Structures are given as structure tokens and as C-alpha cells.
Amino acid sequence: MENIMQEWLEGWLRHNDIEYATNDNTQMPPDVFLDPQNKKHNLVEVKAFNYDASPGFDIADFRMYEREIKEKPWMLDVDYLVFGYDMSEDGVVTVKNLWLKKVWEICRPMASGAGKNKVVWPLNLQIKQGVVHKIRPAKWYGASKSFKTFESIEDFLSAVEETVYKNKDTRDDGPSWLDGTLRNYETFYGKRLRVPRWYEIEDKYYLKK
């Protein structure tokens, strides 16, 4: 369905004579560059999900993403154009809602397992056999009983850093990850972000322990 929505968006852009380019790397955001001459801003990632269910799309492969945003800080500024759709028995697709969000606005922590095996992660993740694979979205619309979506880019980066350390496949990136990310972000944007440690902010995102 995301491919259909992206094709629609590209058709709309062409119809309105808006210049754009698509991304050859389908594994990482964005899908569309709205400034083909400068592919470091005006970035759009298209997502879609069945509005009668929770958002089920992947945001990105975690290992690839944490390295990408460290080296390319403009990737943190991608706009996520999210379609919530309904499909009739006849195959007619109706867009029920539409959002334009930053990545931290559609992410949250999560809990996996139960009882003594319960583990709380700073990000909502797809985990298979103890290995972290994908970053998964939150249900950012409506009330939540367990976890809040992130309030800022700084808190999101704090959660990513903690996940880098917590995930055995990315732990080696941990010692230099945040400093490198902040340094590259400041070089590109001319602004130094102040990112808290996860233990300093986690309580405001865990609504129910």
C-alpha cells in the first residue's frame, strides 16, 4: 500500500509541476527528495497503514539507522507523510486520516516479554530471537496507557543511544555514537543539541511500569 501511496504522491507532484527525485536506496528514508539539487533538506518518507489497526509499518532497520543519522544528521529532519487508509471489499481505498510527522513524534519505548522475562526498551522495536531488527512506530493518535511518544529530537536521540548500548549487535558503537552524532549535527546545522541521559527522562515516557 505504501507503494501505491507513493505513486499517488509522485503523480500529484508532477501534476502540480513540483520538481522531485526518488531515492534509489529503498532500505532507508527518504522516499522522495523535494529538492533534487540539494538532497539534504525537504525530505519526505511515505508510510501507510490500515486505519482500523495500529500502525504496522517499519521506520527503518535499527543498525543502519543509528549509523545513518550519526554520519548524515539531516536524516533526522525527514518528514514522515503517513496515510491511514481503509479498503472496502471491492478494493476501494479511502484515506481516513493523514499526518505529517517527524520521526520522534511517531516513536516511543516498549516492553517485551512478561513476568521475570519482561524487558523495557527505550524504542519500539521488532526483535527476533533476541536480535533487534526494525524500529516500529507508536500509535501516536489517541490516548496511550503504557508509553508516550517522544517530545523532542533530544529525547529521541537519548532513547537511540540507550538502545545502541542495550542491543548487543550495536553495543560497540556506543562509546562514540552520541558525541559523533552531536558533532556532525552541530557542523551541519550550527546548533549544539543538549541530549539527556536516558535514565534522566525515562520516567516521563513510561506511563505504566
Side-chain angles (χ1 to χ4, degrees), residues 90-101:
D90 299 327
V92 176
V93 175
T94 303
V95 175
K96 307 290 287 187
N97 214 331
L98 182 66
W99 299 266
L100 191 64
K101 295 284 188 179

Side-chain angles (χ1 to χ4, degrees), residues 53-69:
S54 296
F57 55 82
D58 295 327
I59 292 175
D61 176 88
F62 178 73
R63 188 171 190 171
M64 292 176 63
Y65 187 77
E66 58 95 355
R67 293 177 177 179
E68 188 89 345
I69 60 177

Side-chain angles (χ1 to χ4, degrees), residues 123-154:
L123 289 175
N124 192 26
L125 302 163
Q126 177 196 59
I127 301 176
K128 296 180 179 180
Q129 298 179 335
V131 177
V132 171
H133 288 274
K134 308 289 186 179
I135 305 173
R136 304 303 297 274
K139 187 177 181 180
W140 60 87
Y141 52 96
S144 173
K145 295 181 180 179
S146 300
F147 301 101
K148 284 175 56 179
T149 53
F150 296 113
E151 297 176 358
S152 64
I153 186 175
E154 291 88 350

Side-chain angles (χ1 to χ4, degrees), residues 1-6 9 26-31 44-50 55-61 78-85 95 97-101 103 106 134-137 140:
M1 185 57 68
E2 287 172 9
N3 290 338
I4 294 174
M5 294 302 181
Q6 184 176 341
L9 175 63
T26 58
Q27 299 299 312
M28 290 296 297
D31 290 317
V44 178
E45 176 77 356
V46 179
K47 296 296 183 183
F49 70 98
N50 184 341
F57 55 82
D58 295 327
I59 292 175
D61 176 88
V78 171
D79 286 309
Y80 286 76
L81 182 63
V82 187
F83 294 83
Y85 68 87
V95 175
N97 214 331
L98 182 66
W99 299 266
L100 191 64
K101 295 284 188 179
V103 65
I106 57 173
K134 308 289 186 179
I135 305 173
R136 304 303 297 274
W140 60 87

